[in-house]
Amino acid sequence: MSENFAFLLPVVLTLFGVAFLVVGRFGNRAALFWGAGYICAALGFLAPFMEAAVPVTVVAMVADAAFLSAFFLYSHALLTHFDAPRRMALRAGVVAVAYACTSVAVLVAGSLRFELFINDIACSTLLLIAVLSSWRRSSAWIDRALFGAVIFVMLETTIRTVVFFIMAGTLAMDEFIGSAYAYIMQITSTIGALVMALTALASVALRIVERHRKASEEDPLTGLLNRRGFEQFVAANAQPARGEAAIIVADIDWFKQVNDRFGHAAGDEAIREVAALLGTLAWPGLAVARFGGEEFIAYLPNCRLQDAHTLANTVRIALSERDFSHIGIDRAITASFGVAVTAAGDHTIHDAISRADRLLYLAKSSGRNRVVSSAADAPAQSGPKFFVV
């Protein structure tokens, strides 16, 4: 049974390694390091099967190299996952010193106790470095679960090797494979490997899903929300609003002339500049989106018409006074704004957006570079009240 279990462990580790490598094909670099680490660990547990063909010292050196490589890759995967400082020199130094010391323990002293102690403590140290460098960067519950799994592996490895160092006595290197310690090591390592692999896979998978979700809801040129992201944000956040919400619709004036005269690259830079200005609007719960081309929209929950009008006019003035010579545009760039607020009779936020669009058209048709806003425009009103700047 012990031999069957010893063979099953590297198979399980290899399967996890392959799973991580497959996930890594979706653009997650941390998954590639997790996968390589699990495959190295599988090779480390397969090393004892070489004993029939090569000396036990060679088996020990191969296993030590495989496990050090595995834990180096685990630590690198953790640091990459949280975009933490890699500490390459420090971690490489731990590996180099540990392997040099285990080489002496195996080839010179022939001491199994010192070999396992040095190697396992070095493996735990590699994880400790990664945890200390990245633990402040965790936010989601799955990230904290991953840290818990890594700490479990680190503690299990350290406690087990310390206990073995104290109790092993004079166990010879060629007696290790059939020893009770080897069997306990396989069981505890399997538990740690499973827990760490499952939490790491879940954390990596959620990162990939979040990245694709963000890409589907974010405008790649400006980093603002796109139409889909805006609608989902408003749908998720409109209900808690205690009062009316404001909609600001903005459109860059004469933008086709900007593209024709200065080129599309300069036009893109101008769009980024306008997006950056809109992003500076100071309002709780603000959402700003690029709806396509040179048109932008902002959602301001619990905002009165007068406040939204003032904010839009602040952006209008800042834009008209902005110097665009650094992006190759030697003329002023202006924008027109339509501002509306939600009304009691609105079915959806699109009713307010439609009113803001009509007011934007009025701003365009009445000279551009201005803000036009109205009252709630409820259907019962005899006529809209306009504010024009």
Side-chain angles (χ1 to χ4, degrees):
M1 179 178 177
S2 176
E3 292 179 358
N4 292 336
F5 188 81
F7 182 75
L8 179 63
L9 178 55
V11 172
V12 172
L13 294 176
T14 301
L15 290 175
F16 275 120
V18 172
F20 274 113
L21 294 178
V22 171
V23 171
R25 289 176 60 86
F26 291 92
N28 189 287
R29 287 179 56 81
L32 298 176
F33 295 119
W34 283 116
Y38 270 91
I39 289 175
C40 284
L43 294 175
F45 282 106
L46 281 174
F49 292 96
M50 301 166 49
E51 198 172 294
V54 298
V56 68
T57 53
V58 174
V59 172
M61 296 303 298
V62 170
D64 290 342
F67 286 125
L68 284 171
S69 299
F71 277 77
F72 180 87
L73 289 164
Y74 294 156
S75 65
H76 199 77
L78 198 66
L79 294 168
T80 301
H81 184 72
F82 291 104
D83 196 25
R86 302 302 190 266
R87 316 287 186 194
M88 287 292 293
L90 176 60
R91 292 184 299 118
V94 170
V95 171
V97 171
Y99 198 65
C101 293
T102 54
S103 298
V104 173
V106 172
L107 301 176
V108 178
S111 173
L112 177 65
R113 292 172 66 213
F114 279 98
E115 176 216 352
L116 293 178
F117 181 82
I118 295 168
N119 197 75
D120 287 354
I121 292 299
C123 290
S124 295
T125 301
L126 290 169
L127 292 183
L128 179 62
I129 293 171
V131 168
L132 292 177
S133 299
S134 56
W135 72 275
R136 290 181 181 274
R137 297 170 182 258
S138 64
S139 55
W141 67 268
I142 190 62
D143 293 335
R144 291 189 287 272
L146 175 57
F147 274 118
V150 171
I151 292 171
F152 171 78
V153 171
M154 182 175 64
L155 293 176
E156 180 274 323
T157 302
T158 302
I159 293 171
R160 170 173 41 79
T161 196
V162 169
V163 171
F164 175 76
F165 185 80
I166 295 172
M167 301 179 63
T170 59
L171 184 66
M173 294 187 65
D174 56 2
E175 298 174 341
F176 172 72
I177 301 302
S179 66
Y181 175 78
Y183 187 56
I184 293 172
M185 176 183 176
Q186 291 162 7
I187 294 175
T188 57
S189 297
T190 300
I191 296 172
L194 286 172
V195 172
M196 189 167 71
L198 291 173
T199 52
L201 265 176
S203 186
V204 165
L206 288 176
R207 287 286 179 96
I208 293 173
V209 170
E210 176 62 20
R211 191 185 75 232
H212 285 285
R213 184 202 62 77
K214 185 177 180 182
S216 70
E217 299 177 1
E218 185 177 281
D219 174 53
L221 179 63
T222 62
L224 299 177
L225 295 172
N226 58 20
R227 184 184 294 268
R228 180 175 183 271
F230 179 83
E231 291 184 352
Q232 291 198 350
F233 178 91
V234 171
N237 295 276
Q239 294 303 320
R242 294 181 299 277
E244 59 189 11
I247 295 292
I248 300 174
V249 178
D251 190 271
I252 302 175
D253 296 328
W254 309 113
F255 186 70
K256 185 177 184 302
Q257 294 181 7
V258 174
N259 275 335
D260 292 344
R261 180 177 173 183
F262 302 104
H264 287 278
D268 287 347
E269 289 299 323
I271 287 174
R272 290 193 186 96
E273 294 275 349
V274 175
L277 276 175
L278 288 168
T280 62
L281 287 172
W283 196 264
L286 170 74
V288 182
R290 180 188 177 205
F291 261 37
E294 65 274 21
E295 184 177 355
F296 301 87
I297 187 166
Y299 168 76
L300 299 86
N302 304 309
C303 182
R304 298 179 305 164
L305 180 68
Q306 294 87 342
D307 294 330
H309 184 102
T310 300
L311 289 169
N313 197 48
T314 300
V315 173
R316 181 192 67 81
I317 294 171
L319 177 62
S320 64
E321 296 177 348
R322 203 174 189 89
D323 181 10
F324 288 91
S325 60
H326 64 286
I327 59 173
I329 298 177
D330 58 4
R331 49 157 280 191
I333 290 179
T334 63
S336 301
F337 298 79
V339 182
V341 292
T342 55
D346 289 349
H347 296 290
T348 68
I349 193 69
H350 290 283
D351 294 333
I353 293 174
S354 295
R355 289 194 294 274
D357 271 330
R358 290 196 297 270
L359 295 166
L360 171 64
Y361 177 78
L362 181 59
K364 288 281 191 181
S365 61
S366 58
R368 291 179 167 80
N369 188 25
R370 62 188 59 211
V371 179
V372 178
S373 60
S374 75
D377 282 343
Q381 286 182 288
S382 58
K385 175 183 177 184
F386 294 104
F387 300 90
V388 182
V389 177

